[in-house]
Amino acid sequence: MLLIAGLGATACVGSAFAASPQAADAPVYHLPPLPAAQDSDDQGAQSAGADPMANAPVSGAGPTPDGSAPSTAPTAGTPAAGALPMDFPPPVISVAPQAAAPGQSVDSQAAQVTPINDDTISVAGMGQPNGLTLSGGQLQSGIEFTLPRDQVATTARLFLALKVSPALAARDTSLRLMLNGQELGNVALSQASAADNVYELDIPAAMIVSNNNLSFSVNDDNTLTCERDLSDKYWVTILPTSHLQLSSQILDIGRDLSHFPRPFYDPLSMKGSSVAFIFGQTVKSDAVAAAGMLASYFGVLSSYRNMDFPVHLNELPTQNGILFGQPGEKIADITLPQVSGPTLQMIDNPLNPVYKLLLVVGRNGNELRQAAYRLISSPLPARQDVIAVPNQTIPLRQPYDAPRWIDTTKPVYLKDLAQNSELLTTNGLYHDGIRIGFRAAPDLFMWDGDFIPVKIDYRFPTENWIDENASQLSITLNGTFLHSLPVNKHGLVESAWRMLGGDTRQETFTLQLAPYLIYGDNQMEFYFALKPKADAPCSLLTSNNIKSRIDPDSTIDLSRTHHFTLLPNLSYYVGASFPFSRMADFSQTVMLLPAKPEAGEIATLLAMAARAGNATGIPLNHVDVRLGLQDPDAGGAPLADKDILAFASLKQTELVGDLLAGSPYEMRNGLLTVRQETFTTRLKGYFTGRFFRQGVEADRYLASTDAWRGFLSFASPWAGNRVVVMATATDADQLTHINADLQVPAVNAGIRGDIAVINAENGVKSFTVGSQYPSGEMPWYMMIIWYANQHIIFLSLSGLVFAVLIGSCIYVLLARHAAKRLANSANK
């Protein structure tokens, strides 16, 4: 490993590193550190190594949303400036702040612990899973990374892993590094021919702001730019294992509710977020329902980032957390305030005042839901740490109206999917692809032979130095190549017309997309592969003054699809939380927990609620949470019109046994097993087209697996047209791993059928055990054809019986006719 310590902008520009990175005693280069830079973000100017808390306002960094100066946080139990009159008694806190832990600093005046956050951000985590390659005319590129606004970097170190082609290593070139427009230094690529080059660079912490750009460029001392046809020979790759190690201090942003969702979630965080949810010792379904609403809202915000929700029962977290309870309820060392309606209040965490606790208080389920809805429906008022929540109407959603699902009633413009028309234009000869992501309901149905029309209008540049015969527009969907579109129309007539000076540009094309290529989550990419002519000047190759464009009014049309599928199907659930997300607010879903749930079971429910919000873009505003099938708070509401999403380990024998009654599964001696099929059941399966069930294989695998977690799905015992999905495990600790499992693409893709078993040794194993039922709507004449296609044996036997009956009738008629004819002949 070659070490580079403290590269300076003035002292090391253009410097080369002559020591071999393969040497065991690789030298350490000590160069002057970079001067402290002015931070352009709201963190303020910080010198390297200075304490960022020294002059930080208690209420947080930056102006409030109304543009005013940041406010000073109110003291505990008193309203902030502009707050409502003092109708809110403060919570009673009976614990003193903890002392500073080793490695943490204590502000003697504020008497609070200043936490230090250590994080590692890899190039893969910055959005480049395959690394970053510079080659040919593409000699410069960059990546972005962000730092949460309530954190100030104290130390930063870059570990740069490079892979360089031998031909480039033999040239007199170097790699130039810049951060936010400031020079970091140069790495001589002639030293980087080894397979495991890792360069270590100390970066002054003052250079790290909230939004950062780390750029790389190859210094072109030998006209490498002009060797554009040798991009496979001259290249350097910044490997995805390259990473940045950051240490940062966490600022106290105060108790201003308008900062929400901060400090619990910050969109600038490069990593997944963990939000602690706190309940009393006796968990109530109303509190879990409000927590599910809030967890799903965090899922809507999280995009690709993972969200975890550790659950604390009657104890406080050491960091930020959200607490749910009723007025006067004592949870850990906090007694909730005696309020007369739904209330939101932000307080300091008594274990460390830098962190905050958000109190969601209500006297019943409706008030808790109202308080949670106020948090997620609109911005909270500024400069207040406590608010009373007025009664609001929580709107109901309609089937399949999730905003993140593509509309299937009419053609959809690509500009609506891209959210910004500028994203449909690329600049220069070398550029990234145009990516358009969209989600779709997983139960879209079309007959084989039908296609989804995608009308693409596009424009190539008109520069005369572009080789129009070699350039093309490539289209892929979810990594599958679809088509290449030329610059000009092909054909004998078109070629002749072009030779005569006519216009033969092809600027529109309708792509016939096979319906099986559409998944729940899709990524369509357009790439303009522009090829310069052999005599094109080098200066034009790096010009960004040319544009390639996908017309924003291009469309994708799913209006000829139908919502129809077979359930249960676990791949629909892990991909889009379907069929529960059919109503995006879960208004037709019951989320079921045991009567006395463990923390791991509640945490799994919250994590799955976040996944549902992420899939649809809508919080679960109308979800019904029940603790056990006989939950007294449910008011005896029937389950016949509800889909059921259950979370229980196999230790919860009462709930699991009741749910599995009538299903293909049962509990035997504390273990999950598959019921043995009777002759009647097997015969029924054959008649309905279910030839390849795997009940025996699934039962053997369950019997041979000690610790596991996974999913079961089967028809609801209360309604044949409703489904049950059950997240379960051998114990609650195993159940908590499910959320992390679903972040692994291989595991996510491997879950299908109606039972999926996950363990550390074998990954995921999926089986099809039970029967399926049709769900959705199709025209009656299509349903007849579909049923005939699905029940081929029954159709064949029915046809045979029908033929026998008709043949018998015809035989009898013909026999009578023959007998009558013979009788007439005898009489003559």
Side-chain angles (χ1 to χ4, degrees), residues 428-447:
L429 185 67
Y430 303 100
H431 53 78
D432 202 0
I434 297 173
R435 298 182 180 90
I436 299 175
F438 65 93
R439 296 176 183 264
D443 64 340
L444 296 182
F445 178 85
M446 295 184 77
W447 289 111

Side-chain angles (χ1 to χ4, degrees), residues 773-803:
Y773 65 89
S775 174
E777 298 180 357
M778 270 200 307
W780 64 268
Y781 57 89
M782 295 180 67
M783 286 296 296
I784 294 175
I785 300 174
W786 180 87
Y787 267 105
N789 181 64
Q790 291 292 313
H791 304 85
I792 187 66
I793 290 184
F794 181 76
L795 179 66
S796 301
L797 292 177
S798 298
L800 179 62
V801 171
F802 182 76

Side-chain angles (χ1 to χ4, degrees), residues 632-653:
D633 294 333
L639 294 173
D641 58 345
K642 300 283 188 177
D643 293 304
I644 298 174
L645 183 54
F647 305 89
S649 74
L650 297 180
K651 304 294 184 184
Q652 303 280 2
T653 54

Side-chain angles (χ1 to χ4, degrees), residues 50 54 74 88-89 123 183 189 195 208 262 281 345 379 433 538 602 607 637 686 706 714 718 747 753 813 817:
F88 306 97
V123 168
E183 195 87 30
L189 296 180
I208 307 292
R262 295 168 60 209
Q281 185 63 50
Q345 185 171 2
C538 294
I602 303 174
Y686 291 149
D706 184 23
F714 45 88
W718 294 275
V747 173
L813 291 175
H817 179 74

Side-chain angles (χ1 to χ4, degrees), residues 210-221:
S210 286
N211 292 277
N212 303 274
N213 182 280
L214 181 61
S215 60
F216 309 90
S217 60
V218 176
N219 289 324
D220 186 22
D221 295 334

Side-chain angles (χ1 to χ4, degrees), residues 452-467:
I452 298 171
V454 182
K455 182 177 177 294
I456 303 169
D457 296 327
Y458 60 100
R459 301 289 186 274
F460 276 92
T462 57
E463 304 294 333
N464 56 14
W465 51 270
I466 293 178
D467 187 347

